[in-house]
Amino acid sequence: MMTAAVATPAKTAIRTEGLSVSYNGKPALKSVNIEFYENTVTALIGPSGCGKSTLLRALNRMNDRIPDAVTQGKVFVNGINIYDRGVNLTRLRREVGMVFQKPNPFPMTIFENVALGPRLHYGLRGRALEEVVEDALRKAALWDEVKDDLKKKSGLALSGGQQQRLCIARMLAVQPRILLMDEPCSALDPISTQKIEELIVELGKQYTVIVVTHNLQQAARISQYTGFLMYGELIEWGETRQLFERPQRQETEDYIRGRFG
Amino acid sequence: MEVQATYLERVRAGEWEALAARRDKARLRKNALSSALFGGVGAFTILLVFLLLAVIVYKGAPTISWEFLSQPPKEGMSAGGIWPMIRGSLLLMLGTFLLATPIGIFGGVCLAEYGERSRIMRLMHASVAALAGTPPIVYGLFGLAIFVLKFKLGVSLLSGWLTLTLFSLPVIVLTTESALKTVPSALIDGGLALGLSRWQTLWRIALPYAMPGIMTGVILSLGRAAGEATPVLFTASIYYSTAQLTLGWETLRQPVANLPYYLAEGYRQPGVVPDHLIWGACLTLIVLVLLMNAAAILIRTCARRRYL
């Protein structure tokens, strides 16, 4: 059983200020103020449609992809408001990596999947590139399983859990410092889920990790901080243990005790 | 007062089976009927195609020989082979392939990337779709007016390339567009989340993913172009050339013999080209087109195997 120890937060990596998102005029996120700390895992929990994925996708501007999404408020990543004009999206997403609910490896070899980012961003080639790929795959706890057919096997030939770790490796190879994970285990079996959870705890020591999950036990297992959202509002956020054991708000208590959602 | 029994009361437990049995019988009848109908019409269609092939093979196969494929016509076209026509068709295809593929792919990318947003692009899409259905003779006349006469390229291989390129472009553009639309948005998301720009995502992820579909479209479109006589009728064709079969820059400005034109003209002037030569050329053309289609299928399956 893993237990996530609560360390005193060092520095704020991301801070939102009155962050609101609406789709087609329908509010999905209402004036959220939250902070995410460095070298800490923060879980975002809440019932379906509560806005937790929207919040996550607002942090690396993936909502830009949705034509009718309107974002208001500010998101400071390392002190810079990413919604300011002239923000370089490539630079932002190099800093803030993302893993999706369903593993989405590219239709190319395992090596190419991981090498693509560092090659395009940093112009790495040859030995240097291979080192970065190996390092990323090791950090994603996938190296031993794939090292023999790195350049032969397609990323799509891996199992679901391996694919998700490949996607994590692909993200790490770009050298981000903030990792966003959108229900990274919800498409996986229990054993793969456990591996990813262990991995998240490990990554939380070096990265700012933000995980959306609908699994409360998972949030309790892997995170030091938790935010609870409902109807697009951030109801409560704080240390995970505190939030689970002594929630400040009635809604949080109801949700955690299974009376809602 | 007597209460009317409800439907449920009337249909007692055992009667559900009887009701279902009646429906079952009707369903079986309908199944049998539709199987017979679809199966029959389907078989008829396939039979027609095979009949066509069988007739051509039956009539043409005796003519096929190495000499027929590799020698020029002799004795005022009443004997000998059809090598100049095969060579001309291959030359026309090669140039068309090299010109139409990149232009068509760029066009398809353009439509897929910008197609939905702007009204102009939607109009372009509709126009390309209409062009794909335009009869080949229209391309032939356009080529004559523009390339042959206006640009003074004359009846030449070059004019043929340009005309056939125009002819194959719409289909390549449309297949490229639809192949790009089958790229899962999760892959695009993945690329963008890695910090790739929109164009990097397109070139590195979407295009490779769509490439088998695109190449299939290219080859099918070329196969169609290979068999059409009318686009090259006034732009590139010569019935038979006694010119030396050498390749050089001057070849570009010379007309070329080709299979479809040879077939059309040879058949139109009875008594000159004997029937067995026509049938032989017919079979050669069909095999050429089938080979191209087989290549398309091969490329697709290989690409799939590589990715999965």
Side-chain angles (χ1 to χ4, degrees):
Chain A
M1 177 73 194
M2 299 164 280
T3 41
V6 174
T8 22
K11 274 165 70 185
T12 302
I14 301 189
R15 182 164 61 83
T16 73
E17 233 180 70
L19 179 65
S20 301
V21 179
S22 63
Y23 300 121
N24 249 329
K26 263 179 65 183
L29 206 60
K30 298 171 195 162
S31 193
V32 166
N33 299 305
I34 190 170
E35 285 177 39
F36 302 99
Y37 300 119
E38 278 184 2
N39 307 329
T40 304
V41 178
T42 304
L44 295 173
I45 59 170
S48 299
C50 68
K52 50 194 192 298
S53 286
T54 300
L55 172 56
L56 197 75
R57 291 170 65 93
L59 302 180
N60 67 344
R61 288 189 53 177
M62 281 302 279
N63 283 332
D64 287 15
R65 276 270 280 158
I66 302 163
D68 299 310
V70 175
T71 309
Q72 286 165 314
K74 291 171 181 171
V75 175
F76 294 97
V77 174
N78 301 327
I80 294 164
N81 179 15
I82 62 169
Y83 285 93
D84 271 349
R85 221 186 257 202
V87 163
N88 181 338
L89 281 189
T90 291
R91 217 170 129 194
L92 167 68
R93 289 169 184 163
R94 250 180 10 224
E95 178 78 6
V96 187
M98 187 170 213
V99 172
F100 298 83
Q101 190 169 349
K102 213 173 143 254
N104 57 351
F106 300 136
M108 42 183 94
T109 62
I110 296 166
F111 182 85
E112 283 303 317
N113 261 281
V114 185
L116 187 65
R119 188 187 283 140
L120 291 181
H121 289 314
Y122 310 115
L124 295 187
R125 281 192 278 152
R127 188 75 211 120
L129 184 62
E130 283 179 22
E131 274 172 27
V132 167
V133 169
E134 178 175 341
D135 175 64
L137 283 167
R138 279 189 191 283
K139 280 185 187 152
L142 188 61
W143 175 252
D144 290 331
E145 290 160 61
V146 299
K147 62 182 177 205
D148 294 326
D149 31 26
L150 266 190
K151 295 184 182 177
K152 277 179 271 165
K153 210 167 175 181
S154 159
L156 291 165
L158 298 171
S159 74
Q162 289 174 323
Q163 286 190 8
Q164 194 62 297
R165 276 178 285 150
L166 178 63
C167 292
I168 292 173
R170 186 174 80 186
M171 162 177 75
L172 295 178
V174 175
Q175 314 301 321
R177 287 193 299 175
I178 298 163
L179 315 180
L180 309 179
M181 302 190 181
D182 191 355
E183 302 195 27
C185 302
S186 66
L188 304 181
D189 62 88
I191 291 171
S192 305
T193 298
Q194 196 195 341
K195 278 194 182 151
I196 304 270
E197 283 187 11
E198 286 169 7
L199 182 55
I200 292 173
V201 170
E202 202 51 44
L203 291 173
K205 294 172 186 165
Q206 299 175 52
Y207 298 89
T208 307
V209 184
I210 306 167
V211 186
V212 163
T213 174
H214 57 234
N215 182 332
L216 294 177
Q217 284 79 19
Q218 185 175 72
R221 280 195 297 266
I222 63 175
S223 70
Q224 291 95 44
Y225 280 76
T226 297
F228 169 60
L229 288 101
M230 206 161 84
Y231 306 130
E233 282 171 52
L234 181 66
I235 304 294
E236 179 172 353
W237 74 280
E239 283 185 21
T240 300
R241 185 164 295 169
Q242 168 111 22
L243 188 119
F244 275 84
E245 285 168 7
R246 293 183 304 281
Q248 305 291 304
R249 297 269 300 260
Q250 188 61 43
E251 295 98 315
T252 316
E253 169 133 19
D254 287 349
Y255 184 71
I256 286 166
R257 307 279 171 260
R259 284 199 283 265
F260 174 78
Chain B
M1 207 168 75
E2 199 172 305
V3 182
Q4 184 84 43
T6 64
Y7 180 77
L8 278 176
E9 282 165 344
R10 276 186 286 136
V11 184
R12 289 189 306 277
E15 287 174 26
W16 287 114
E17 276 309 313
L19 283 174
R22 226 184 302 158
R23 300 292 304 163
D24 282 349
K25 226 186 266 169
R27 184 161 41 228
L28 283 176
R29 246 197 335 267
K30 272 185 204 157
N31 272 355
L33 195 70
S34 39
S35 300
L37 190 70
F38 287 112
V41 174
F44 180 68
T45 314
I46 294 167
L47 215 68
L48 269 184
V49 175
F50 272 95
L51 194 70
L52 182 90
L53 267 180
V55 169
I56 293 170
V57 171
Y58 174 75
K59 297 268 207 177
T63 314
I64 302 289
S65 65
W66 177 242
E67 208 190 328
F68 179 69
L69 297 175
S70 64
Q71 295 298 316
K74 284 190 296 212
E75 293 157 34
M77 304 199 75
S78 64
I82 54 164
W83 167 240
M85 293 80 189
I86 298 176
R87 173 181 167 276
S89 276
L90 291 176
L91 276 177
L92 281 169
M93 284 308 97
L94 183 70
T96 308
F97 172 74
L98 293 178
L99 283 174
T101 310
I103 302 175
I105 290 177
F106 273 103
V109 165
C110 188
L111 276 185
E113 279 293 297
Y114 301 108
E116 262 139 56
R117 310 249 165 93
S118 80
R119 190 176 294 172
I120 296 170
M121 294 309 280
R122 278 203 298 268
L123 189 72
M124 297 254 281
H125 177 98
S127 315
V128 174
L131 283 177
T134 301
I137 182 69
V138 175
Y139 288 94
L141 290 171
F142 180 85
L144 173 67
I146 302 299
F147 302 131
V148 177
L149 301 176
K150 187 85 187 166
F151 292 172
K152 300 194 170 61
L153 297 176
V155 175
S156 61
L157 182 59
L158 195 56
S159 297
W161 281 352
L162 296 171
T163 310
L164 281 179
T165 296
L166 285 187
F167 177 66
S168 5
L169 267 181
V171 172
I172 298 177
V173 169
L174 292 179
T175 43
T176 300
E177 187 199 8
S178 61
L180 280 173
K181 287 202 169 144
T182 63
V183 178
S185 62
L187 285 186
I188 309 291
D189 276 347
L192 293 175
L194 275 190
L196 307 196
S197 69
R198 187 171 161 194
W199 291 107
Q200 283 175 324
T201 309
L202 179 80
W203 284 113
R204 302 291 178 150
I205 295 161
L207 263 186
Y209 184 92
M211 207 34 104
I214 294 174
M215 286 324 285
T216 308
V218 167
I219 293 175
L220 289 180
S221 165
L222 282 181
R224 206 167 68 98
E228 288 287 355
T230 45
V232 289
L233 187 60
F234 314 119
T235 55
S237 297
I238 188 166
Y239 189 26
Y240 175 60
S241 157
T242 48
Q244 289 295 310
L245 294 179
T246 49
L247 276 178
W249 287 112
E250 71 281 358
T251 316
L252 285 179
R253 302 302 300 269
Q254 289 165 354
V256 287
N258 57 78
L259 285 168
Y261 184 71
Y262 171 73
L263 285 174
E265 205 60 21
Y267 190 73
R268 215 164 57 90
Q269 302 178 3
V272 179
V273 182
D275 275 2
H276 72 274
L277 290 186
I278 299 276
W279 284 113
C282 203
L283 180 60
T284 310
L285 179 57
I286 282 213
V287 168
L288 196 75
V289 172
L290 285 180
L291 279 178
M292 287 175 75
N293 291 3
I297 294 168
L298 201 70
I299 288 174
R300 207 169 38 193
T301 40
C302 284
R304 280 221 186 103
R305 201 169 304 141
R306 219 182 89 215
Y307 290 145
L308 277 172

